[in-house]
Structure formats: C-alpha cells, structure tokens
Amino acid sequence: MSGDRATDRRAGDVRATGIERWRQAAARRDGPGRHVAARPAWRCRACAAPWPCQPAKLGLRREYAHDRPALSIYLCLLMHEAITDALTVATGPVDPATYFTRFIAWTRHGWPPPGASEER
C-alpha cells in the first residue's frame, strides 16, 4: 500500500463526524435498563416516559458536564430526528416549541455555572 493511501485512510478515520461519534457513544449506553429513546415514538425504553426522561437527563448532564454546548448540539440533532419521525408516522401536529422545551431547553438550567461572571 502506498504511503498516500495509508495517510488518506488515517485522515478519514480522524474526520469521523460528531454525529457518528455520538451515535457510537449512544450504542454503548443502550444496555438493559438504560434510559434511551425507543424510536419512532421517542419514549424511554426503561420507564416509557417521553425521552429524554429525568434519568436520561441526569445521565446526559453527567456525561457532558465538561462540554455543555456539545450536549445542546447533540440534543438538537436528536430533536430534529424526533420531529422527522413524528412527521413520518403522522402522530398529529408537530409543535417545534414543545420539542425545543423537551429536548434542549433543560440544558440551559443553571448556566452559567455558579460563580461565573454574568457581565458581558
């Protein structure tokens, strides 16, 4: 194999998109009793509450404690997938504000961290 092809392959591995990495991480979390979404209904597999349920939110907060913007981006992508699923299975009218509140708004609670300057 030429050095160029090997370099290209390594570069391709490094360029894995964020969503691919997030999906891989989600796949590792999908064990029994885990609070993950059952699609297309977007209900929790463990407790049947609308996902993200409270235990899922706590787990996501812990997992993304170091990178709150990444959590919001991840949940934004999932929100769009949930809306697409709702439109595909025609579960009724889709209110984007409701989906925003369910998936993203809770990530802003308590931000900025205590002690951070709120002046801009």
Side-chain angles (χ1 to χ4, degrees):
M1 180 176 275
S2 75
D4 292 337
R5 283 188 179 170
T7 301
D8 289 345
R9 188 168 22 126
R10 281 192 302 272
D13 292 343
V14 171
R15 282 181 270 177
T17 64
I19 190 66
E20 289 169 352
R21 283 179 279 177
W22 288 323
R23 284 186 177 151
Q24 291 167 359
R28 289 191 298 271
R29 292 189 303 262
D30 285 356
R34 297 292 191 140
H35 293 269
V36 295
R39 294 179 67 176
W42 289 87
R43 292 265 182 193
C44 177
R45 290 184 189 274
C47 66
W51 195 91
C53 60
Q54 195 61 32
K57 290 176 182 178
L58 292 172
L60 288 164
R61 273 190 187 266
R62 258 191 319 272
E63 184 175 346
Y64 286 90
H66 65 286
D67 196 354
R68 193 71 62 90
L71 173 60
S72 296
I73 292 167
Y74 172 58
L75 289 169
C76 184
L77 293 168
L78 293 180
M79 179 188 71
H80 282 273
E81 289 183 19
I83 290 170
T84 299
D85 286 348
L87 292 171
T88 302
V89 297
T91 58
V94 173
D95 178 22
T98 301
Y99 279 84
F100 178 85
T101 300
R102 177 176 164 185
F103 280 84
I104 301 168
W106 64 268
T107 65
R108 299 288 296 164
H109 179 73
W111 196 259
S117 173
E118 293 188 27
E119 295 179 15
R120 293 194 182 242

